[in-house]
Amino acid sequence: SSRASCFRFEIAGAQVGWIPPHVASLLTRFPEVFSPPHGGAVAPCPSLDSYGRRSEAVDAVLQTLRQEGSLTCLKGWRDEKYSVMPSFSDPPVMWMERAATSLFGVRRYGVHLNGYTVSDSGEVSMWLARRSATKQTFPGLLDNVAAGGLAAGVGIKHTLVKECQEEACIPAAIAEKAHPVTTVSYTYEDEEGVFAESQFVFDLELPPEFKPRVGDGEVQDFYLLPIEKVKELLATDDFKPNCAMVVLDFLIRHSFIEPDAG
């Protein structure tokens, strides 16, 4: 489905996502939770007038759909709550299970870290991770040295430091030196739904002698690669797509790719 055929997902009059037609038709089975589509929009019933009421009622619907087993994305249920809000600076209007956010086109937020080293001669190399072969999403592909989603009620820097420790065994004392540099945003869709994501990106110069170590098993290995090799890999299918965007942004910001480069 293209955006033109999606329904706006609205809460308290504000748009918080995009609902594909096949999902909107499923939601009509739950009239006590969702009002019928109206004016190109789907909204929770007016009686669900608080953060808690909306969250619990929608979660009950999602649990039912999960048990029915017809939606592939719900088979990857994470038990992770993500905040739903019109924009990042707005107060959340509800929480939603991470695995279900694509059904509603709710924007997800995360953190990504570019970890790099600078040699005595000024040569820059970048640490990349190879995702575990058992990951639910994009198994075995190249990734940033640390990254993770922003759970409801958890801060950006706290999430970054936590992911650094859990995924790459980067101590908090080092991780806290990371610099916030940019946000990378994108939207894509597949047969399951709409994925609207924004990643808060940090750069961290790691000591030359430091080596990331596999922590929680989400990564199978780490590689320290010269920038030229990183450029080569970016042109292959070996990168998780959003991580490739984060690395590409790093290369542009640090002038490793020039505007006139073909």
Side-chain angles (χ1 to χ4, degrees), residues 23-85:
V23 177
S25 64
L26 283 175
L27 299 182
T28 60
R29 291 170 39 205
F30 305 93
E32 70 287 356
V33 178
F34 293 99
S35 299
H38 177 73
V42 172
C45 292
S47 58
L48 302 173
D49 57 0
S50 71
Y51 175 94
R53 287 194 190 102
R54 282 182 210 113
S55 304
E56 297 296 340
V58 172
D59 196 58
V61 168
L62 293 172
Q63 294 281 8
T64 299
L65 294 173
R66 177 192 182 191
Q67 286 162 7
E68 292 173 2
S70 61
L71 294 167
T72 309
C73 64
L74 297 185
K75 294 175 182 173
W77 196 275
R78 306 270 195 119
D79 280 323
E80 290 182 39
K81 297 177 180 178
Y82 273 24
S83 294
V84 178
M85 52 262 192

Side-chain angles (χ1 to χ4, degrees), residues 12 20-21 30 66 70 86 101 116 141 154 161 186 190 195 200 207 219 234 246 252 257:
F30 305 93
R66 177 192 182 191
S70 61
T101 52
Y116 66 98
L141 294 187
V154 183
V161 173
Y186 48 88
D190 61 19
F195 297 79
F200 296 100
V219 168
L234 272 183
V246 170
I252 292 170
I257 293 179

Side-chain angles (χ1 to χ4, degrees), residues 3-10 15-21 24 35-43:
R3 182 173 287 189
S5 64
C6 289
F7 293 87
R8 299 185 310 280
F9 181 34
E10 294 184 351
Q15 183 174 355
V16 294
W18 294 97
I19 301 180
S35 299
H38 177 73
V42 172

Side-chain angles (χ1 to χ4, degrees), residues 3 14 49 68 71 76 95 101 110 114 127 173 188 192 195 204 210 223 237 246 248 256-257:
R3 182 173 287 189
D49 57 0
E68 292 173 2
L71 294 167
W95 58 260
T101 52
N114 291 304
W127 280 104
Y188 65 96
E192 282 295 330
F195 297 79
L204 175 61
F210 179 79
Y223 313 106
D237 293 330
V246 170
L248 180 60
F256 292 115
I257 293 179

Side-chain angles (χ1 to χ4, degrees), residues 113 145-147 160-175 204 206-207 210-217 219 222:
L113 179 72
V145 70
L160 177 80
V161 173
K162 176 177 76 75
E163 295 294 342
C164 282
Q165 291 177 299
E166 291 178 358
E167 292 186 357
C169 298
I170 299 172
I174 294 178
L204 175 61
L206 289 162
F210 179 79
K211 288 185 172 54
R213 296 194 325 276
V214 174
D216 57 11
V219 168
F222 292 99

